[in-house]
Amino acid sequence: MEHAFPEDELRPVSCKPLTRDRSNAAHFELNDPLGNYSLTLIDSLSTLAILASSSGSNTKNNKAFRRFQEGVASLVEQYGDGTEGLQGQGRRARGFDVDSKVQVFETVIRGLGGLLSAHLFAIGELPIKGYQPKYHIIGERSRIPDQIRWPKNFIYNGQLLRLAHDLGKRLLPAFHTSTGLPYPRVNLRHGVPFYANSPLNYDAEQGQCQTTRPSSAELTETCSAGAGSLVLELTVLSRLTGDPQFEVLAKRAFWSVWERRSTIGLVGSGIDAETGLWTSPYTGLGAGIDSFFEYAVKSYVLLSGSSLPNTSIPHPFYDSSNIDLSPPLTDAQHDPESFLQVWHDAHSAIKRHLYRGDMYVHPHYIQADLYSGAVRAYWMDSLSAFFPGLLTLVGHLDEAIEIHLLFTALWTRYSALPERWSTSSGSVEGGLGWWGGRPEFIESTYHLYRATQDPWYLHVGEMALRDIKRRCWTKCGWSGLQDVRTGEHNDRMESFFLGETAKYLFLLFDPDHPLNKLDAPFVFTTEGHPLLIPPTSNPGKFHKKHSPPAPEKVKPRTQSLNVEVCPTSPAMLPFTLSATASRGDLYHAAHLARLHHMPTPENLDSPIIEYSSDHPSISISDVRSPSNFTYFPWTLPLYLVPHNGTCSKMTARPTFDITFPAPPNTILGPGFLQRVGNGILVNAMGGLRLGMIQDVALMKTGSGAADLYRIQAVNNIPLGKDEKIFLAKDVAASVVNPLDPNFTRVRDATMLDIIVDLADDHTQISTSDGMSSYDVNDGNDTSTTEPAKRSGITFGETEGTTDAASNMRIVFNSLLQHVTSMLRDQPSLPDPKHLREYIPAITPIGAGAAPLPDVQEALGPDISGAPQGSLLWDTIYIADSNCNAKLPASVPKEHQVIVMKRGGCSFSRKLENIPSFAPSKTSLQLVVVVSYEEHEEQDGLPSGFLIRPLLDSTQFTPSGLPRHNPIPMIMVGGGEQVYDIFRKATGVGIKRRYTVHAQGVLISNLIII
């Protein structure tokens, strides 16, 4: 206030104000947040209100509270009281009528959030110790104070709320887009004249947009955080003012981001506000994405304490002429549970694709490809330090603790967090070594201490506080660091340093603060401003002087499917005082941060040393460690260091490469590797290099978790965890050595695929599981003993009626069918003569099980999804359940495949009713048993899974003699739907499944087709 007000920020080294760069409009780092409206004061008002509740404070002699009141008065003096009269004109502007192009996101979280939070403190909705304002109600729902008298004859009557409404309306032009995503920037006075495609720039007379375009096209790229992190501030603004458009637009932007997530559930960083397309394939947890996840959780918290406002009640703030709110949001898009579900889905995708567990020294997150989840970079940025705090809020405490350990080790090493740090090289990434006073690490430390009460986090906070005092203090303020390695100052005190960093540090060390005990659905915004929806702004709850309107019929909210309970604090080890300090992976985090390479500093230079000579708050403990600098945090006292602590063993993850030499004089062409669907198709083995890594299987075996190898890269192309390598059997056959232990092809003895051709008069349909099937009309298909001449099918005598087609899922983890859907460009097969179906099948076990016939296997589909080659067997007999009587003697002699239903008798009995026959190419080759959903339920299996049928005795003929040539049998699922497919079949074939093992361990994502 002394050196910079009323400008936006302070230069703490030169003791001068920092303002917008008017000479360089492209200086976004400076111009985006600085709007020429006293930003630091607005951002710091809520901090002053929180400091006013310090221990021993009282409202009569409370320096922080007095400065809060003086700050509000100074702001009103500069920008008016938000009314249209004379009092609405301030010294600098009427409201925020300033010619400044600012970023929508930064203005909402810093400016709008700061005004709203300060207003809630001013009217007593957020607690200040000893402060109880008296006011009455204006309007039906909003608590707008009147005649709250403050010192120096200042009367607070809602000036901050009116100014917030003025600022909010000036942001509305940015929301005029067809995608629902706001433009990234807006001029507070002129709107968005620089976006030529904005509907606001449409010339009604000429019927076109502006003919004179700006000299350089304005960037329309926003980010997930910028577009999706507006719900908290704009919803509170709508609820307090009764103007619904802010809440609707913010929610619409949030859902517009989420609806564009990739198929694997990841959200990108850059996104174009006009097209809705992602501008970058990268994703992570930090810059450009971070607060989207935060607002999914906190929107649930904020909205869970209230219902939707009744916008039919007139309100003095509401102006319905500002923006079109159609089409309206759905009930689900308003429901707090929907925001929570977004978090659960997003977190699942993060754990699957971005999280690297303790197999990589210590858990951390990576930068990945938006569409595949493949690794794109190994750095982590200081913004992502917010994530442990968010995990703490939703109850994922162990994950939060382990991730926070790494950030703590990094802070211990650098006495701050560099903007980017590489887990791969262990050093600052790309020269991005500055720390601008960011609060995210301290914010997470605060939340973890609140959840665990572990004193370890107090010493982490103490470390951060002492390092900031030692390195960032100047005589005019607190400076950011241009390089954490050298300590060079950048001569800028960002507004969030006082608005967030100082706030979280203060609340960390004041456990009895009213906010730490507030029992209400309040949240800290991403800028650290406390917000809540007051009860009287909630429809159905009114001040006692007013009568509520007639109650509306409200649809009851669906009970959350994600009911979670916050976990208890980690248990203490015997004779320890801190569960965190005693963790076995504490050194793992230090090792990944390379903390053991950091020398113990003998002398620490700081300008604060001179200042400490006559200032009682500074002592030698601000620069000296009580233990050492390799056991972190460096402020940890010796009594918290476990005297007999041992670290758990680090897990080593096996990795190796498999290389197939290229033949001499071979040049690898562009078709060597081909991306198809969810993976890469390998068209040649020569020159192929597979990077292998050992994973833990998702499924459990009888002896525990099964290890698997996964191909993580092919010829230096990284793969996501769900991506696969597809390899044709004939491509590998000529190259792979069956005796090579590093690459062994193994035929699956349990599962195979039955391939069925159907006539072209069947209409293809799609089932809910994604497998293509066919609509079969059996109105004219009665049971008969005569063969169907066109299809080669014979129908046996029926033994009873069948139920309606089962809705059971047909897919039983069929890898071949999965590949087919990946390769198919169009839903219909290109061959008009045949429609081909791929049905998973399982082989039997027991004394009566016979090996499958040694015949030529059917070919899989080609690259376009078209069937290849003809099928071997074309005579099929439909025998129903085949339990009551033996089949005619001609059936096994003249038919290559017999299809029967499961049930009615044992599998052995079904085979026993097949007469003897002389083996030949035209006689019986295979029996197919079709299982129904009720059978899987009896087996105790989930829908969509098969159990291996048991042939408990050797096979016999109907006369009771042992069968010299046992009949091969398989079983398929799908019930009546699959049974009808066989009734319409024109050909049947089999295709074996193959897997590849490396050193005896299955390679999970290599598919032989």
Side-chain angles (χ1 to χ4, degrees), residues 648-670:
S648 57
K649 182 180 179 180
M650 285 189 181
T651 305
R653 173 163 293 207
T655 60
F656 62 93
D657 288 348
I658 299 177
T659 302
F660 298 89
N665 302 322
T666 298
I667 300 177
L668 300 180

mmCIF file of all heavy atoms in Angstrom, residues 648-670:
data_model
loop_
_atom_site.group_PDB
_atom_site.id
_atom_site.type_symbol
_atom_site.label_atom_id
_atom_site.label_comp_id
_atom_site.label_asym_id
_atom_site.label_seq_id
_atom_site.Cartn_x
_atom_site.Cartn_y
_atom_site.Cartn_z
ATOM 1 N N SER A 648 12.316 -49.163 3.583
ATOM 2 C CA SER A 648 11.956 -50.361 2.845
ATOM 3 C C SER A 648 12.837 -50.473 1.601
ATOM 4 O O SER A 648 13.373 -49.490 1.106
ATOM 5 C CB SER A 648 10.481 -50.314 2.449
ATOM 6 O OG SER A 648 10.203 -49.154 1.685
ATOM 7 N N LYS A 649 12.947 -51.680 1.102
ATOM 8 C CA LYS A 649 13.797 -51.936 -0.049
ATOM 9 C C LYS A 649 13.188 -51.294 -1.295
ATOM 10 O O LYS A 649 11.991 -51.354 -1.520
ATOM 11 C CB LYS A 649 13.944 -53.440 -0.258
ATOM 12 C CG LYS A 649 14.860 -53.819 -1.407
ATOM 13 C CD LYS A 649 14.962 -55.335 -1.551
ATOM 14 C CE LYS A 649 15.855 -55.721 -2.712
ATOM 15 N NZ LYS A 649 15.946 -57.202 -2.858
ATOM 16 N N MET A 650 14.023 -50.657 -2.090
ATOM 17 C CA MET A 650 13.549 -50.085 -3.338
ATOM 18 C C MET A 650 13.256 -51.192 -4.339
ATOM 19 O O MET A 650 14.003 -52.154 -4.457
ATOM 20 C CB MET A 650 14.584 -49.124 -3.928
ATOM 21 C CG MET A 650 14.669 -47.801 -3.212
ATOM 22 S SD MET A 650 15.697 -46.643 -4.116
ATOM 23 C CE MET A 650 15.624 -45.233 -3.010
ATOM 24 N N THR A 651 12.171 -51.025 -5.043
ATOM 25 C CA THR A 651 11.766 -52.008 -6.033
ATOM 26 C C THR A 651 12.450 -51.710 -7.355
ATOM 27 O O THR A 651 12.433 -50.580 -7.832
ATOM 28 C CB THR A 651 10.244 -51.983 -6.217
ATOM 29 O OG1 THR A 651 9.613 -52.167 -4.947
ATOM 30 C CG2 THR A 651 9.792 -53.074 -7.168
ATOM 31 N N ALA A 652 13.050 -52.727 -7.931
ATOM 32 C CA ALA A 652 13.688 -52.581 -9.234
ATOM 33 C C ALA A 652 12.765 -53.172 -10.288
ATOM 34 O O ALA A 652 12.349 -54.328 -10.175
ATOM 35 C CB ALA A 652 15.040 -53.291 -9.255
ATOM 36 N N ARG A 653 12.427 -52.394 -11.275
ATOM 37 C CA ARG A 653 11.537 -52.861 -12.339
ATOM 38 C C ARG A 653 12.368 -53.333 -13.518
ATOM 39 O O ARG A 653 13.072 -52.541 -14.147
ATOM 40 C CB ARG A 653 10.591 -51.734 -12.747
ATOM 41 C CG ARG A 653 9.745 -52.062 -13.949
ATOM 42 C CD ARG A 653 8.568 -51.132 -14.075
ATOM 43 N NE ARG A 653 7.630 -51.331 -12.992
ATOM 44 C CZ ARG A 653 6.337 -51.082 -13.088
ATOM 45 N NH1 ARG A 653 5.827 -50.618 -14.204
ATOM 46 N NH2 ARG A 653 5.535 -51.275 -12.065
ATOM 47 N N PRO A 654 12.298 -54.639 -13.858
ATOM 48 C CA PRO A 654 13.105 -55.140 -14.976
ATOM 49 C C PRO A 654 12.685 -54.505 -16.303
ATOM 50 O O PRO A 654 11.495 -54.424 -16.614
ATOM 51 C CB PRO A 654 12.815 -56.653 -14.968
ATOM 52 C CG PRO A 654 12.245 -56.938 -13.615
ATOM 53 C CD PRO A 654 11.546 -55.692 -13.193
ATOM 54 N N THR A 655 13.646 -54.083 -17.067
ATOM 55 C CA THR A 655 13.411 -53.573 -18.415
ATOM 56 C C THR A 655 14.495 -54.129 -19.330
ATOM 57 O O THR A 655 15.628 -54.344 -18.911
ATOM 58 C CB THR A 655 13.452 -52.036 -18.460
ATOM 59 O OG1 THR A 655 14.739 -51.585 -18.031
ATOM 60 C CG2 THR A 655 12.390 -51.426 -17.565
ATOM 61 N N PHE A 656 14.127 -54.374 -20.569
ATOM 62 C CA PHE A 656 15.103 -54.796 -21.560
ATOM 63 C C PHE A 656 14.506 -54.561 -22.939
ATOM 64 O O PHE A 656 13.307 -54.310 -23.081
ATOM 65 C CB PHE A 656 15.508 -56.266 -21.375
ATOM 66 C CG PHE A 656 14.392 -57.250 -21.539
ATOM 67 C CD1 PHE A 656 14.137 -57.846 -22.770
ATOM 68 C CD2 PHE A 656 13.584 -57.592 -20.464
ATOM 69 C CE1 PHE A 656 13.114 -58.750 -22.932
ATOM 70 C CE2 PHE A 656 12.553 -58.499 -20.613
ATOM 71 C CZ PHE A 656 12.302 -59.080 -21.843
ATOM 72 N N ASP A 657 15.344 -54.649 -23.962
ATOM 73 C CA ASP A 657 14.912 -54.474 -25.341
ATOM 74 C C ASP A 657 15.036 -55.788 -26.092
ATOM 75 O O ASP A 657 15.950 -56.588 -25.843
ATOM 76 C CB ASP A 657 15.745 -53.411 -26.060
ATOM 77 C CG ASP A 657 15.420 -52.000 -25.575
ATOM 78 O OD1 ASP A 657 14.415 -51.849 -24.861
ATOM 79 O OD2 ASP A 657 16.179 -51.072 -25.896
ATOM 80 N N ILE A 658 14.111 -56.016 -26.995
ATOM 81 C CA ILE A 658 14.186 -57.149 -27.921
ATOM 82 C C ILE A 658 14.317 -56.566 -29.322
ATOM 83 O O ILE A 658 13.452 -55.787 -29.748
ATOM 84 C CB ILE A 658 12.941 -58.043 -27.832
ATOM 85 C CG1 ILE A 658 12.798 -58.633 -26.414
ATOM 86 C CG2 ILE A 658 13.008 -59.174 -28.862
ATOM 87 C CD1 ILE A 658 11.542 -59.461 -26.229
ATOM 88 N N THR A 659 15.380 -56.919 -30.016
ATOM 89 C CA THR A 659 15.640 -56.367 -31.353
ATOM 90 C C THR A 659 15.684 -57.498 -32.376
ATOM 91 O O THR A 659 16.320 -58.534 -32.149
ATOM 92 C CB THR A 659 16.973 -55.601 -31.377
ATOM 93 O OG1 THR A 659 16.932 -54.558 -30.404
ATOM 94 C CG2 THR A 659 17.214 -54.983 -32.748
ATOM 95 N N PHE A 660 14.993 -57.288 -33.483
ATOM 96 C CA PHE A 660 15.003 -58.245 -34.589
ATOM 97 C C PHE A 660 15.816 -57.617 -35.727
ATOM 98 O O PHE A 660 15.402 -56.593 -36.287
ATOM 99 C CB PHE A 660 13.580 -58.552 -35.058
ATOM 100 C CG PHE A 660 12.735 -59.179 -33.999
ATOM 101 C CD1 PHE A 660 12.000 -58.393 -33.124
ATOM 102 C CD2 PHE A 660 12.687 -60.555 -33.851
ATOM 103 C CE1 PHE A 660 11.224 -58.956 -32.133
ATOM 104 C CE2 PHE A 660 11.914 -61.133 -32.857
ATOM 105 C CZ PHE A 660 11.182 -60.348 -31.996
ATOM 106 N N PRO A 661 16.964 -58.170 -36.047
ATOM 107 C CA PRO A 661 17.824 -57.549 -37.068
ATOM 108 C C PRO A 661 17.119 -57.457 -38.414
ATOM 109 O O PRO A 661 16.356 -58.338 -38.812
ATOM 110 C CB PRO A 661 19.033 -58.494 -37.132
ATOM 111 C CG PRO A 661 18.983 -59.263 -35.850
ATOM 112 C CD PRO A 661 17.542 -59.395 -35.484
ATOM 113 N N ALA A 662 17.390 -56.366 -39.097
ATOM 114 C CA ALA A 662 16.845 -56.188 -40.440
ATOM 115 C C ALA A 662 17.688 -56.963 -41.435
ATOM 116 O O ALA A 662 18.918 -57.012 -41.317
ATOM 117 C CB ALA A 662 16.818 -54.706 -40.809
ATOM 118 N N PRO A 663 17.069 -57.577 -42.436
ATOM 119 C CA PRO A 663 17.850 -58.268 -43.473
ATOM 120 C C PRO A 663 18.781 -57.299 -44.189
ATOM 121 O O PRO A 663 18.535 -56.085 -44.217
ATOM 122 C CB PRO A 663 16.773 -58.816 -44.416
ATOM 123 C CG PRO A 663 15.526 -58.865 -43.591
ATOM 124 C CD PRO A 663 15.632 -57.720 -42.625
ATOM 125 N N PRO A 664 19.864 -57.802 -44.765
ATOM 126 C CA PRO A 664 20.807 -56.918 -45.484
ATOM 127 C C PRO A 664 20.113 -56.143 -46.598
ATOM 128 O O PRO A 664 19.193 -56.632 -47.239
ATOM 129 C CB PRO A 664 21.844 -57.897 -46.042
ATOM 130 C CG PRO A 664 21.739 -59.111 -45.184
ATOM 131 C CD PRO A 664 20.306 -59.201 -44.759
ATOM 132 N N ASN A 665 20.578 -54.909 -46.781
ATOM 133 C CA ASN A 665 20.091 -54.029 -47.852
ATOM 134 C C ASN A 665 18.595 -53.756 -47.748
ATOM 135 O O ASN A 665 17.915 -53.562 -48.751
ATOM 136 C CB ASN A 665 20.408 -54.628 -49.229
ATOM 137 C CG ASN A 665 21.892 -54.874 -49.426
ATOM 138 O OD1 ASN A 665 22.720 -54.067 -48.990
ATOM 139 N ND2 ASN A 665 22.228 -55.998 -50.059
ATOM 140 N N THR A 666 18.084 -53.774 -46.508
ATOM 141 C CA THR A 666 16.658 -53.514 -46.288
ATOM 142 C C THR A 666 16.465 -52.085 -45.805
ATOM 143 O O THR A 666 17.157 -51.628 -44.893
ATOM 144 C CB THR A 666 16.074 -54.490 -45.250
ATOM 145 O OG1 THR A 666 16.202 -55.821 -45.763
ATOM 146 C CG2 THR A 666 14.597 -54.186 -45.004
ATOM 147 N N ILE A 667 15.536 -51.386 -46.401
ATOM 148 C CA ILE A 667 15.164 -50.035 -45.964
ATOM 149 C C ILE A 667 13.751 -50.096 -45.411
ATOM 150 O O ILE A 667 12.826 -50.547 -46.095
ATOM 151 C CB ILE A 667 15.245 -49.026 -47.123
ATOM 152 C CG1 ILE A 667 16.680 -48.961 -47.674
ATOM 153 C CG2 ILE A 667 14.779 -47.647 -46.666
ATOM 154 C CD1 ILE A 667 16.820 -48.031 -48.873
ATOM 155 N N LEU A 668 13.589 -49.673 -44.170
ATOM 156 C CA LEU A 668 12.279 -49.713 -43.544
ATOM 157 C C LEU A 668 11.409 -48.609 -44.123
ATOM 158 O O LEU A 668 11.724 -47.423 -44.005
ATOM 159 C CB LEU A 668 12.412 -49.545 -42.019
ATOM 160 C CG LEU A 668 13.251 -50.625 -41.322
ATOM 161 C CD1 LEU A 668 13.315 -50.349 -39.826
ATOM 162 C CD2 LEU A 668 12.689 -52.008 -41.584
ATOM 163 N N GLY A 669 10.317 -48.968 -44.738
ATOM 164 C CA GLY A 669 9.427 -48.005 -45.364
ATOM 165 C C GLY A 669 8.386 -47.479 -44.402
ATOM 166 O O GLY A 669 8.302 -47.897 -43.245
ATOM 167 N N PRO A 670 7.528 -46.569 -44.871
ATOM 168 C CA PRO A 670 6.515 -45.961 -44.013
ATOM 169 C C PRO A 670 5.450 -46.933 -43.561
ATOM 170 O O PRO A 670 4.774 -46.694 -42.569
ATOM 171 C CB PRO A 670 5.917 -44.853 -44.902
ATOM 172 C CG PRO A 670 6.225 -45.284 -46.308
ATOM 173 C CD PRO A 670 7.533 -46.007 -46.235
#
